[in-house]
Amino acid sequence: MKLIHKIGGKLYVNPDGLEWKRSKWIKPIQVYLKYSEKKMAENADLIISDNQGIEDYLKAEYDHVTSKVIAYGTNDVVMAPGVAQPWLDKYGIQVGAYYLVVGRFVPENNYEVIIRNFMNSSTTHDLVIITNHLGDPYFEKLRQLTNFDQDKRIKFVGTVYDKEQLTAIRKHAFAYIHGHAVGGTNPGLLEAMSVTDLNLVFDVSFNRNVALDSALFWQIDTLTEVMSQAEMLKVEAIEGLAKKAKKITIIILFAQVFLFLIFIDLFCMNKQSIYKNTNKNPSTFVNGFSGAGGGGRTRTVSLPTDFESVTSANSITPANQLFYYISIFCKNQEKYYNFVIFP
């Protein structure tokens, strides 16, 4: 930290999630990870949280935390027709007649809860679980705990690494069940929201901050009931939820934006040489592009006054979000800047 500040740098940290809570770590490692989180909160000039729930947790847990929420998202979906049909036929799965679970095979993703609730339901749909369960001791433990092998509706199908095929499998599901209990914004949930019409989401703050009002939420003892509610929904209601989910999904690659901002900040140590305050009105962001003759072109982009809530600013394009992210990395975060790209 001292060396970074000595050369005029800033330390920006993206904590990703609450790693110390993951059950895969033994206690000593969890203690170390919690200590590392504490030191991060104390020393970072800016913490970039990918979820409002992460920021809320950090500010409640530690004093004097400076954080900005920059949500990441997923790409537009392009899917060839019929790409999933051979895969579905292989496992005897019918289009639109299965609940889908996709995720790492770890206890905090609530596999036991999902399976128990599903087995208690009277649904005629299958439960299709795409995960890396082969050779994992947790698979045998889960079988002993739930006897899921006695329920022919439950199908562990291994992993699917073909992105187009996985997208098609998501698309053809009746509903996606998201059980992740630890972490921030989960890419799997965003992917489901972009293609699966109906999403049943475990009710924790991280997931609520992503899905908002586009999903049905469940708790440990209510998933069976929520499944029954889902199967009674009219087509119009499901289509409405799907539309909300797709609107919420922010189509922007967080990693590229994050790296771009770091490069901008490191390259432009003197912000006055590249940023020029042109408008103090936070509802308008002006950016100019200089031409070879030094004239430059300028356009004005209208932004909502409360543009901090980027996860709900659904009318804003990724390009406009990018310019906003540039602005928050300037030392004076209350203003917006004229961004000039030199030829």
Side-chain angles (χ1 to χ4, degrees):
M1 266 296 295
K2 291 181 179 179
L3 178 59
I4 292 174
H5 286 158
K6 187 175 181 180
I7 63 174
K10 297 284 187 180
L11 178 61
Y12 303 140
V13 181
N14 169 231
D16 188 33
L18 305 182
E19 191 66 23
W20 63 272
K21 283 191 171 184
R22 300 194 186 279
S23 60
K24 66 179 180 179
W25 302 120
I26 61 175
K27 193 63 177 179
I29 294 179
Q30 288 180 327
V31 171
Y32 168 75
L33 290 172
K34 185 68 169 71
Y35 175 76
S36 298
E37 178 187 273
K38 179 175 181 290
K39 300 308 290 184
M40 171 199 71
E42 292 174 350
N43 292 289
D45 293 299
L46 177 65
I47 296 176
I48 300 178
S49 304
D50 65 26
N51 186 286
Q52 187 62 52
I54 293 290
E55 181 177 85
D56 292 343
Y57 160 78
L58 290 172
K59 289 185 174 180
E61 187 77 4
Y62 307 104
D63 294 329
H64 312 299
V65 170
T66 301
S67 172
K68 291 287 183 181
V69 176
I70 301 181
Y72 61 81
T74 186
N75 291 312
D76 280 318
V77 175
V78 179
M79 183 176 59
V83 68
Q85 196 58 53
W87 186 92
L88 295 172
D89 292 342
K90 176 183 176 181
Y91 293 103
I93 302 168
Q94 300 297 315
V95 171
Y98 60 95
Y99 290 91
L100 179 66
V101 176
V102 181
R104 290 181 299 169
F105 196 53
V106 290
E108 59 261 24
N109 287 350
N110 276 317
Y111 284 98
E112 182 181 350
V113 172
I114 293 171
I115 288 172
R116 286 188 184 279
N117 276 267
F118 182 86
M119 292 177 69
N120 287 334
S121 75
S122 58
T123 183
T124 58
H125 295 340
D126 289 331
L127 176 63
V128 177
I129 301 175
I130 297 178
T131 188
N132 54 329
H133 69 284
L134 295 176
D136 193 317
Y138 180 52
F139 181 73
E140 178 59 24
K141 179 181 179 180
L142 196 59
R143 188 190 66 78
Q144 293 177 2
L145 288 171
T146 64
N147 293 316
F148 66 76
D149 54 327
Q150 302 300 311
D151 191 328
K152 301 305 181 184
R153 300 173 299 171
I154 299 176
K155 300 179 179 182
F156 278 87
V157 295
T159 53
V160 176
Y161 292 111
D162 185 301
K163 187 171 182 61
E164 187 177 31
Q165 186 178 65
L166 180 58
T167 298
I169 294 168
R170 289 185 183 279
K171 179 66 177 177
H172 294 314
F174 167 72
Y176 170 72
I177 301 178
H178 186 73
H180 292 53
V182 176
T185 300
N186 182 264
L189 176 56
L190 290 170
E191 290 170 8
M193 290 169 61
S194 69
V195 292
T196 311
D197 288 344
L198 184 57
N199 295 284
L200 313 185
V201 179
F202 184 53
D203 193 359
V204 290
S205 63
F206 309 115
N207 295 335
R208 274 198 175 271
N209 283 321
V210 175
L212 301 177
D213 61 346
S214 72
L216 302 182
F217 290 92
W218 54 272
Q219 297 175 347
I220 289 175
D221 57 349
T222 65
L223 179 55
T224 303
E225 179 183 347
V226 172
M227 288 172 58
S228 297
Q229 294 173 0
E231 295 187 19
M232 290 190 293
L233 288 176
K234 294 182 178 179
V235 173
E236 294 79 7
I238 295 176
E239 290 175 347
L241 290 171
K243 185 176 180 180
K244 288 181 179 180
K246 290 173 179 61
K247 189 176 180 182
I248 289 170
T249 303
I250 300 172
I251 307 172
I252 187 171
L253 296 177
F254 172 76
Q256 291 181 355
V257 174
F258 184 66
L259 289 173
F260 179 72
L261 293 172
I262 291 176
F263 294 152
I264 288 291
D265 197 62
L266 291 176
F267 186 74
C268 308
M269 301 297 284
N270 182 359
K271 70 171 183 178
Q272 295 301 330
S273 66
I274 195 164
Y275 297 108
K276 179 182 178 183
N277 179 245
T278 59
N279 195 328
K280 296 182 179 180
N281 181 1
S283 66
T284 306
F285 181 66
V286 181
N287 60 82
F289 302 88
S290 69
R297 302 183 302 277
T298 303
R299 65 187 177 90
T300 300
V301 180
S302 296
L303 301 178
T305 302
D306 184 22
F307 194 63
E308 298 286 339
S309 305
V310 293
T311 54
S312 61
N314 302 311
S315 61
I316 304 305
T317 67
N320 293 342
Q321 291 178 28
L322 184 60
F323 283 115
Y324 173 74
Y325 297 154
I326 292 171
S327 77
I328 71 167
F329 273 74
C330 299
K331 289 185 176 63
N332 187 343
Q333 296 179 16
E334 298 303 318
K335 302 175 183 178
Y336 293 87
Y337 298 88
N338 189 42
F339 181 57
V340 180
I341 303 176
F342 295 95

